[in-house]
Amino acid sequence: MKLLKLLACLAAVAAAAPAAAQTQFPSKPIRMVVPFPPGGTLDILARTVGGKLSANVGQPVVTENRPGAQGAIGAEVVAKAPPDGHILLIMSNTLVTLPSLRKDLPFHPLRDFTPVIELGATPTVLTVHPSFPARNLQEFIKAARATKGGVSYNSPGTSSPPHLAGELFARAADVPMVHVPYKGTAPAVVDLLGGQIPAMMAPLNAVLPHLQAGKLHAIVVTDARRAKDLPNVPTVREAGVPTMAPVSSWFGLLTAPNTPAPLVQRLNAEINKVLQDPEVRARLEEQTFELRGGTSEALAALMKEEMERNARIVADAKITVN
């Protein structure tokens, strides 16, 4: 009888453990790893979301920039972290493209992380310096074809969504273009503004103030529909390239592999709450983000779908890591 009572007590403790872990979470500061330099799209998103998350859960959310290797260095930190829910990776769809480019990755995006939530997306726009003789798509195509060796364009980095958009556009429009990868959005925009490079496939949030000030010019957006902040700028398809598949930049949060479901559910609930906060929404929507939220399962499905799609783009365009 005593043995039966002991076993019953142990079973009750085991059943209560997940709920207790969820109730006590977080018990220390949360680390949010940004796998790109400060000042870029992911950095802005991380600091805005992290600030409100910290206020809501009563623990600091510390942003850590770990740039390098197309985001793989920062991602590896989270892939090898303890599964206690206190570390997050803010990722873009660049992450799911890496397996198509690198066979030496120390992690697999679908197996070595636990999806938490999709955060949102921002449009990608083909942008030119004022010195480049084009203000619409037909002028851009004409000028690019007249440029010896093709027109150079930059992006936040190899395998980034803007890079893939550039590769798809070049082939669909039959335009000679030379990709110049940068280590992050901010330095790419600096060189575009300085005229060191004539064109950029850019996340809209990074260039919108410069477009509004006339320091840059938007040619087309690569998404399926027009950007609400650029209502007069057509999509690639509207402008005359109907065969190009739409490309957008989307972002999500992952945590360490094998993180217990109650902790993932708590994180998901807290960040959904952050994304519904009026102040956060206003701040991020001002910077062209379309906020989404949703379940961890929805992010897992999106990652799988995008990985398969981007693998085809990489193979067709023969993209390699320099």
Side-chain angles (χ1 to χ4, degrees):
M1 184 65 69
K2 289 183 178 179
L3 179 59
L4 290 176
K5 288 183 177 179
L6 176 60
L7 291 174
C9 288
L10 290 175
V13 169
Q22 186 174 3
T23 302
Q24 296 164 5
F25 177 84
S27 59
K28 60 183 180 181
I30 295 173
R31 298 162 60 198
M32 189 175 292
V33 177
V34 180
F36 291 98
T41 302
L42 286 179
D43 189 66
I44 293 169
L45 192 54
R47 294 177 190 278
T48 303
V49 171
K52 187 62 180 179
L53 178 62
S54 174
N56 287 356
V57 301
Q59 287 284 354
V61 177
V62 181
T63 301
E64 296 183 13
N65 294 90
R66 297 288 190 94
Q70 295 83 43
I73 290 175
E76 185 178 6
V77 172
V78 179
K80 295 183 176 179
D84 62 6
H86 288 87
I87 187 166
L88 297 169
L89 173 70
I90 185 164
M91 52 82 73
S92 73
N93 35 345
T94 299
L95 181 72
V96 297
T97 310
L98 289 179
S100 303
L101 292 164
R102 295 183 51 186
K103 305 306 179 188
D104 62 339
L105 278 181
F107 57 80
H108 189 281
L110 302 186
R111 293 193 300 266
D112 296 327
F113 299 93
T114 302
V116 176
I117 192 170
E118 183 186 4
L119 295 173
T122 189
T124 296
V125 57
L126 174 58
T127 312
V128 297
H129 187 268
S131 62
F132 191 75
R135 297 297 178 266
N136 59 50
L137 184 58
Q138 296 309 313
E139 291 176 356
F140 182 89
I141 292 173
K142 180 180 178 181
R145 289 174 178 169
T147 302
K148 186 177 180 179
V151 62
S152 296
Y153 77 100
N154 67 7
S155 78
T158 300
S159 80
S160 65
H163 176 206
L164 298 188
E167 296 289 349
L168 285 175
F169 169 73
R171 281 154 181 76
D174 190 23
V175 179
M177 296 177 67
V178 180
H179 180 238
V180 182
Y182 275 62
K183 294 181 179 180
T185 302
V189 173
V190 167
D191 277 8
L192 177 66
L193 286 167
Q196 282 85 3
I197 197 157
M200 179 178 179
M201 280 287 185
L204 178 55
N205 72 296
V207 294
L208 183 60
H210 309 301
L211 294 172
Q212 293 170 332
K215 296 178 181 179
L216 298 172
H217 297 287
I219 303 298
V220 287
V221 295
T222 68
D223 292 51
R225 60 182 184 274
R226 295 192 183 199
K228 62 180 178 61
D229 297 289
L230 295 176
N232 296 322
V233 178
T235 67
V236 175
R237 289 183 168 188
E238 288 176 327
V241 187
T243 59
M244 179 177 164
V247 178
S248 64
S249 299
W250 55 261
F251 315 99
L253 284 174
L254 310 177
T255 189
N258 303 314
T259 299
L263 298 185
V264 177
Q265 292 163 3
R266 174 71 190 280
L267 280 167
N268 179 274
E270 289 294 347
I271 296 164
N272 266 311
K273 188 188 303 181
V274 168
L275 296 179
Q276 293 302 317
D277 181 82
E279 184 180 346
V280 171
R281 293 192 72 85
R283 190 179 309 165
L284 291 176
E285 286 173 357
E286 280 179 3
Q287 299 188 52
T288 79
F289 289 107
E290 175 188 324
L291 301 184
R292 292 180 179 169
T295 66
S296 57
E297 291 81 6
L299 175 57
L302 177 62
M303 290 174 65
K304 183 176 185 296
E305 176 187 350
E306 188 92 348
M307 177 178 286
E308 294 170 354
R309 175 177 180 267
N310 289 358
R312 293 192 295 270
I313 296 173
V314 168
D316 291 346
K318 298 179 173 61
I319 299 172
T320 58
V321 176
N322 297 327

